[in-house]
Amino acid sequence: MKHPQHDKFLVQEFVSKDVFEKWGKYAARKVAPQILEVVFFLRDFLNAPIIINTWHNGGKFDSRGFRSEDDPDGSAFSAHKCGLALDFQVIGFTPVEIVALIDRLKSSGAFPYVTRAENPEITKTWVHIDAVHVEGLSPRKLYVFNP
């Protein structure tokens, strides 16, 4: 089912299978628009495919977007379980390149609500971004943390 805000994405890519089965097309509402705007922009700006969840086409990724509270992946307070985080890959680019690009764009005023990224030197194969509130953090700086 096409995402209502971007025709290059499916709703299923942003939520786990159990969430999609429960909510259907309304599952698109489970991920914060502040997070969606980043991958929508990257998809168009880089003209590169973005891989999030792949369960809907037989792939192994199920918990890279919104996760239900009882999903075994992540902690009880995971930003994924609040719809405030995404894990993804951009085909043709390394996670280090993508995190650096997001940081540069933030420094010019883009994506003010995306606050954090996991250190791509540690995650190595994916990008994690979230919109978790961090007291005192500049809206023009991406806080990179070790997972």
Side-chain angles (χ1 to χ4, degrees):
M1 172 180 300
K2 294 280 186 192
H3 194 282
Q5 296 173 329
H6 199 291
D7 66 356
K8 297 255 186 333
F9 288 100
L10 301 174
V11 173
Q12 295 93 317
E13 293 179 81
F14 295 98
V15 298
S16 60
K17 184 177 182 181
D18 64 317
V19 170
F20 185 76
E21 288 175 349
K22 180 176 181 179
W23 293 92
K25 69 180 182 179
Y26 298 106
R29 299 177 182 172
K30 295 290 187 180
V31 180
Q34 298 90 334
I35 293 294
L36 295 175
E37 81 172 323
V38 176
V39 291
F40 293 167
F41 174 84
L42 291 173
R43 174 65 181 91
D44 294 338
F45 181 72
L46 298 173
N47 193 30
I50 294 180
I51 308 298
I52 309 170
N53 284 330
T54 57
W55 62 264
H56 58 282
N57 60 14
K60 65 180 180 177
F61 298 124
D62 178 65
S63 298
R64 296 177 112 201
F66 178 79
R67 303 172 186 158
S68 64
E69 288 182 13
D70 56 346
D71 190 303
D73 288 338
S75 73
F77 301 106
S78 168
H80 288 275
K81 295 181 179 182
C82 301
L84 296 174
L86 282 178
D87 298 335
F88 60 94
Q89 296 157 278
V90 181
I91 302 302
F93 296 87
T94 69
V96 170
E97 291 171 321
I98 296 301
V99 169
L101 174 60
I102 293 169
D103 192 38
R104 279 194 310 276
L105 291 167
K106 275 188 69 65
S107 70
S108 66
F111 318 131
Y113 299 104
V114 173
T115 53
R116 307 184 319 158
E118 288 181 352
N119 184 341
E121 297 286 347
I122 293 174
T123 60
K124 298 202 184 287
T125 60
W126 76 89
V127 174
H128 167 97
I129 57 168
D130 65 48
V132 171
H133 177 72
V134 178
E135 192 67 39
L137 190 65
S138 166
R140 291 184 176 244
K141 181 68 182 144
L142 187 66
Y143 176 69
V144 177
F145 68 99
N146 292 336

